[in-house]
């Protein structure tokens, strides 16, 4: 296991940018390395918090370890410190198992068993809604155990195998169980058993309490490192596609639902403050790991075993807070004026009723379509033909495409039979 206090810039796999298509180059400038290092150095001196000991085996972890990894949705990874050190995933598994359950059963079925509301309570709270018997959300233990019970399989071993394969697909490598941590939680996990029995009696657990808790304990004892967590998070950020293996692990809808629950509930009773200060969907675990992500951009994994009183890694929280604030990563950060989706506009002549052609560009979303149509449809009032040229457009989201099609249908042909709004789409980015 690498020493935690080693200089992060020591030549080693740590602190290197890695791209799937090229070998790391010592000469290449590494701005991301400098960014991670600036955060790493500020947080390194923090010694607050305690390593979790309610699962006795976790108390054996070296408390000084500290690692961070960032994986972009394009498949580049950057790592620093103890990013290759293995620890148990614990509660960081919860959003990924929730995603697997959603993929199998859909949102409607899953939410008859577990709710989507932040509990504002600690991770091990006795949380069941009065009327429905559902745990409040899948990020707290009660909800996570119910989620695990929903996974296909009659036995704990069958369920766990589905989970192991699914989480391995998220990480892009085969993950295995730390048997000592698993046994330690089996011996001491009575509170979780109690939560499972309560959910069973309320009718929301989908298996026996024994099967659900055993599969859940194994899920929590899976070994990962910060790099795995970054790639798992990047898979969600990329809409369900693993950025390294390019495997689709879950659908875009499932990735979005999962990120939404991480946003509202991922940091337990610290979720509201986290959303204000850091503003990234995240999930923590008592093994010392945290995953965070910026949708469509990247995933981050941090590791440092000392925890605060909410069960979140002290240095992990500090690293993410620092990163977010220094580099403006908050997902609600106001962005500078984006590139206009309207490029060059050409007119056939000088008169207002001449035909107009507008070249669109970029990745067009609903708001871009709204902007294009609001800006350009008035051209139709003067009587010429307006051509929207999609030749330089890389992608059109389905809602944007629908707006363009409605505009096309609404702009009737002239008496001369000339179409007044033409969608010129040589690359078929609008779909059918
Ligand atoms: O169920 C438990 O208590 C542990 N296996 C996981 C809890 C956990 O990671 C809470 N997160 N910060």
């Amino acid at each position: 296991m690498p020493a935690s206090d080693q200089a992060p810039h020591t030549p080693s796999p740590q602190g290197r940018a890695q791209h799937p298509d090229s070998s790391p180059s010592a000469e290449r400038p590494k701005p991301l390395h400098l960014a991670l290092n600036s955060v790493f150095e500020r947080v390194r001196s923090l010694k607050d918090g305690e390593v979790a000991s309610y699962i006795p085996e976790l108390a054996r972890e070296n408390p000084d370890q500290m690692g961070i990894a960032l994986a972009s949705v394009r498949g580049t990874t950057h790592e620093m410190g103890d990013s290759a050190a293995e620890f148990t995933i614990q509660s960081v598994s919860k959003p990924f198992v929730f995603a697997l359950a959603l993929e199998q059963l859909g949102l409607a079925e899953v939410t008859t068993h577990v709710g989507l509301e932040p509990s504002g309570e600690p991770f091990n709270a006795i949380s069941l809604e009065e009327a429905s018997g559902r745990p409040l959300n899948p990020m707290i233990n009660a909800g996570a155990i119910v989620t695990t019970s929903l996974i296909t399989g009659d036995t704990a071993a069958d369920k766990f195998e589905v989970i192991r394969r699914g989480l391995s697909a998220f990480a892009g490598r085969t993950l295995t169980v730390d048997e000592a941590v698993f046994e330690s939680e089996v011996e001491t996990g009575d509170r979780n058993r109690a939560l499972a029995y309560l959910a069973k009696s309320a009718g929301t657990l989908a298996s026996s309490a024994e099967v659900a808790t055993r599969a859940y304990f194994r899920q929590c004892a899976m070994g990962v490192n910060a790099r795995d967590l970054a790639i798992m998070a990047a898979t969600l950020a990329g809409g369900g596609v693993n950025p390294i293996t390019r495997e689709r692990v879950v659908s875009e809808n499932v990735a979005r639902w999962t990120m939404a629950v991480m946003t509202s509930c991922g940091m337990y009773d610290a979720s509201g403050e986290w959303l204000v200060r850091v503003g990234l969907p995240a999930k923590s675990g008592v093994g010392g790991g945290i995953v965070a992500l910026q949708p469509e951009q990247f995933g981050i994994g941090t590791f440092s075993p000392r925890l605060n009183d909410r069960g979140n890694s002290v240095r992990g929280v500090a690293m993410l807070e620092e990163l977010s604030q220094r580099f403006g990563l908050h997902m609600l950060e106001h962005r500078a004026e984006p590139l206009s989706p309207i490029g060059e506009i050409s007119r056939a002549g000088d008169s207002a009723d001449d035909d107009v052609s507008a070249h669109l560009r970029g990745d067009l979303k609903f708001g871009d379509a709204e902007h294009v149509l609001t800006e350009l449809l008035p051209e139709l009032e003067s009587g010429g033909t307006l051509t929207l040229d999609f030749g330089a457009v890389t992608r059109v989201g389905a809602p944007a495409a629908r707006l363009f099609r409605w505009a096309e249908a609404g702009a009737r042909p002239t008496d001369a039979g000339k179409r007044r709004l033409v969608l010129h789409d040589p690359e078929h980015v609008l779909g059918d």
Side-chain angles (χ1 to χ4, degrees):
M1 205 173 275
S4 62
D5 284 333
Q6 94 192 75
H9 48 268
T10 354
S12 76
Q14 291 109 16
R16 287 239 180 94
Q18 294 170 358
H19 192 279
D21 301 329
S22 63
S23 55
S25 152
E27 285 78 45
R28 216 178 296 144
K30 298 174 200 139
L32 245 296
H33 180 202
L34 296 176
L36 292 182
N37 195 34
S38 66
V39 164
F40 208 86
E41 286 304 322
R42 285 179 79 100
V43 167
R44 186 201 284 276
S45 60
L46 288 179
K47 306 272 187 208
D48 312 349
E50 300 291 336
V51 178
S53 57
Y54 76 99
I55 300 172
E57 190 65 23
L58 292 182
R60 295 162 56 93
E61 200 64 77
N62 168 2
D64 291 325
Q65 296 171 96
M66 179 169 163
I68 186 167
L70 183 147
S72 80
V73 295
R74 294 179 182 83
T76 318
T77 59
H78 306 268
E79 302 175 40
M80 189 155 290
D82 300 323
S83 58
E86 280 221 2
F87 54 94
T88 53
I89 188 166
Q90 300 297 342
S91 290
V92 180
S93 62
K94 292 168 179 174
F96 301 100
V97 177
F98 179 58
L100 297 178
L102 288 170
E103 190 70 16
Q104 280 178 10
L105 300 169
L107 186 62
E109 173 63 17
V110 169
T111 53
T112 63
H113 293 264
V114 58
L116 299 173
E117 297 306 330
S119 66
E121 288 183 321
F123 68 84
N124 57 2
I126 300 169
S127 153
L128 294 182
E129 273 173 1
E130 190 82 13
S132 66
R134 300 180 309 172
L136 259 85
N137 69 67
M139 302 294 112
I140 50 173
N141 287 6
I145 294 166
V146 168
T147 306
T148 299
S149 80
L150 292 170
I151 298 292
T152 311
D154 293 334
T155 65
D158 291 346
K159 281 190 195 300
F160 175 67
E161 187 49 24
V162 174
I163 291 169
R164 195 191 59 76
R165 269 196 258 117
L167 267 56
S168 298
F170 271 111
R173 74 172 181 109
T174 303
L175 302 177
T176 55
V177 169
D178 181 327
E179 296 293 343
V181 173
F182 167 67
E183 291 300 340
S184 188
E185 191 162 13
V186 166
E187 275 167 31
T188 55
D190 286 337
R191 189 175 176 98
N192 282 330
R193 288 192 190 87
L195 294 173
Y197 280 109
L198 278 176
K200 183 73 184 169
S201 71
T204 47
L205 200 74
S207 69
S208 73
E210 295 82 352
V211 163
T213 43
R214 194 170 173 83
Y216 169 78
F217 292 152
R218 279 192 92 61
Q219 148 193 338
C220 289
M222 294 177 79
V224 288
N225 57 37
R227 182 173 196 273
D228 295 325
L229 295 187
I231 294 169
M232 294 171 83
T235 301
L236 289 176
V241 175
N242 182 303
I244 308 291
T245 64
R246 306 306 306 168
E247 181 188 352
R248 173 162 291 287
V249 183
V250 291
S251 71
E252 281 186 11
N253 279 344
V254 165
R256 190 175 67 250
W257 296 329
T258 305
M259 292 187 283
V261 175
M262 291 167 77
T263 306
S264 55
C265 312
M267 301 300 275
Y268 309 117
D269 40 342
S271 295
E273 186 165 345
W274 177 268
L275 190 53
V276 170
R277 286 186 184 281
V278 183
L280 299 172
K283 184 73 205 78
S284 61
V286 291
I290 301 180
V291 287
L293 60 90
Q294 195 177 54
E296 298 185 340
Q297 297 284 320
F298 52 77
I300 301 177
T302 64
F303 169 52
S304 182
R306 287 197 201 92
L307 310 178
N308 62 24
D309 53 6
R310 272 128 167 199
N312 300 329
S313 162
V314 172
R315 283 164 159 185
V317 167
M319 279 192 274
L320 287 160
E321 203 172 306
E322 193 73 21
L323 257 183
S324 175
Q325 287 174 9
R326 283 169 73 109
F327 298 99
L329 305 185
H330 196 294
M331 64 181 177
L332 302 176
E333 180 83 11
H334 178 70
R335 311 268 163 224
E337 197 62 38
L339 181 75
S340 169
I342 305 170
E344 194 188 334
I345 297 182
S346 43
R347 261 172 219 286
D350 295 335
S351 122
D353 60 356
D354 282 327
D355 294 349
V356 174
S357 191
H359 295 264
L360 307 185
R361 59 191 177 189
D363 180 352
L364 304 187
K365 302 207 164 91
F366 182 85
D368 302 307
E370 183 275 331
H371 175 66
V372 167
L373 295 171
T374 305
E375 288 292 308
L376 297 177
L377 283 187
E379 295 283 351
L380 290 174
E381 278 155 30
S382 51
T385 293
L386 169 66
T387 302
L388 299 181
D389 187 334
F390 288 79
V393 167
T394 47
R395 200 172 92 122
V396 184
R402 201 167 302 138
L403 284 187
F404 286 121
R405 292 291 184 207
W406 281 343
E408 183 187 37
R412 280 187 239 102
T414 59
D415 294 342
K418 199 159 96 169
R419 262 210 102 61
R420 301 198 46 218
L421 176 65
V422 174
L423 304 182
H424 177 61
D425 184 19
E427 305 294 333
H428 303 289
V429 288
L430 284 166
D432 298 323

